[in-house]
Amino acid sequence: MKKVYINPGHSDKDPGAVGYETERKLNVAVSQFMAEYLTANYDCQIKMNPGTMDSLFAICADANAWGADLFVSNHFNAGGGDGYEALVYGEDRVSVGKIFEKHVLAAGQNSRGVKLRPDLAVLRQTEMPAVLNEG
């Protein structure tokens, strides 16, 4: 059985981008929908960061200790532009980002592509394939 660790980006202490909407609130809603969809359609286990962990190191350590097969962090980009981005650690993880991008495109949304971001802690410190989704 596959194990998917879902991290709704940011935390109760750090709401992320705030403006038209609060990023943390959107991240949690999308992550809950993702967890419900995965468990209803696939034989998998889900663990979700409850929002009380603020340390990226602690979040990655939790996913690593749990033995996740996939780490997914959901965010929303407030920096302008139009479209989804899949952020991955390195070239060997581009295929993971492409899987997510395929479904975004199938839903009729624009994509800005799969981008390498080895500087991001949740991609660098996780031991399993990881993707950071920027909606």
Side-chain angles (χ1 to χ4, degrees):
M1 180 180 301
K2 296 293 181 185
K3 297 168 79 174
V4 181
Y5 192 99
I6 301 174
N7 177 49
H10 299 284
S11 70
D12 295 341
K13 293 179 189 175
D14 171 17
V18 178
Y20 175 74
E21 188 60 77
T22 302
E23 181 182 4
R24 173 68 184 168
K25 181 179 169 185
L26 295 172
N27 296 345
V28 169
V30 165
S31 296
Q32 287 174 336
F33 178 76
M34 179 183 282
E36 290 169 11
Y37 179 83
L38 288 173
T39 55
N41 292 283
Y42 298 95
D43 186 21
C44 63
Q45 290 181 309
I46 302 292
K47 184 170 183 180
M48 193 176 316
N49 172 10
T52 54
M53 280 189 277
D54 199 40
S55 161
L56 297 178
F57 177 79
I59 292 165
C60 294
D62 189 45
N64 291 338
W66 186 55
D69 296 300
L70 177 66
F71 180 94
V72 181
S73 189
N74 293 313
H75 292 259
F76 282 85
N77 198 341
D82 176 32
Y84 164 84
E85 294 174 304
L87 309 179
V88 296
Y89 181 75
E91 289 288 343
D92 62 331
R93 300 296 188 217
V94 169
S95 61
V96 174
K98 292 266 185 207
I99 291 168
F100 282 85
E101 181 187 40
K102 176 180 83 170
H103 293 285
V104 168
L105 292 170
Q109 297 298 306
N110 185 37
S111 177
R112 296 167 65 184
V114 178
K115 299 179 179 178
L116 304 183
R117 289 295 303 273
D119 57 311
L120 297 177
V122 296
L123 302 178
R124 185 181 68 249
Q125 294 178 358
T126 47
E127 297 169 354
M128 69 291 301
V131 62
L132 190 148
N133 295 308
E134 282 282 6

